[in-house]
Amino acid sequence: MIEDDCADNGIPLPNVTSKILSKVTEYYKKHVETPKLDEHATTVNDELKAWDADFVKVDQATLFDLILAANYLNIKSLLDLTCQTMANMIEGKTLEEICKTFNIKNDFTLEEEDEVRRENQWAFE
């Protein structure tokens, strides 16, 4: 990119908005600034986990965008954090509750839905 003269004009990130890039930068800053190994490692780790928990308390659209950005930018720790947050939102919910939470419309006919349920019976037990 630098050879293509993109560095002078900015580096394009077509899948990441400036709002989300700002959040990713905030995440990286916190994780870089937090000491890794010292005599208070447990305390530091607990504080970082608490910070992470607050960091992902965002609306669904922002969480989805953070997942996409973490995946696009190959940031494994952020992808793990955001995907775990999404999994926690799904855990223990019925199919109907999940569809309502994520605004998923069922476009199957009754016959198609019955067929999917038969083929994937293990998922509905």
Side-chain angles (χ1 to χ4, degrees):
M1 285 194 168
I2 293 174
E3 295 83 19
D4 296 336
D5 197 32
C6 288
D8 292 335
N9 302 323
I11 298 173
L13 294 172
N15 298 335
V16 183
T17 65
S18 59
K19 173 188 167 193
I20 297 303
L21 186 58
S22 175
K23 291 284 290 176
V24 170
T25 303
E26 178 186 354
Y27 174 84
Y28 255 136
K29 256 183 147 177
K30 181 64 176 180
H31 281 255
V32 167
E33 291 172 355
T34 302
K36 297 295 177 212
L37 299 172
D38 66 9
E39 66 271 5
H40 305 293
T42 303
T43 304
V44 170
N45 192 32
D46 289 345
E47 289 172 7
L48 190 58
K49 283 182 180 180
W51 187 90
D52 282 351
D54 285 339
F55 178 79
V56 292
K57 288 181 182 174
V58 294
D59 60 89
Q60 276 186 10
T62 301
L63 186 60
F64 288 146
D65 288 344
L66 281 170
I67 290 171
L68 293 174
N71 186 51
Y72 181 74
L73 297 170
N74 197 24
I75 306 169
K76 185 180 179 338
S77 60
L78 181 57
L79 184 60
D80 289 347
L81 174 65
T82 52
C83 285
Q84 183 61 56
T85 302
M86 186 68 61
N88 292 344
M89 293 171 71
I90 294 170
E91 186 177 27
K93 291 189 176 183
T94 65
L95 177 61
E96 291 76 21
E97 291 171 328
I98 293 169
C99 289
K100 184 177 179 183
T101 299
F102 297 108
N103 198 28
I104 299 170
K105 304 290 185 237
N106 183 357
D107 58 354
F108 285 121
T109 65
L110 287 176
E111 294 80 21
E112 291 172 329
E113 189 172 335
D114 286 342
E115 183 180 341
V116 169
R117 286 182 186 270
R118 274 193 309 278
E119 290 173 359
N120 301 286
Q121 185 62 38
W122 60 270
F124 297 97
E125 294 174 352

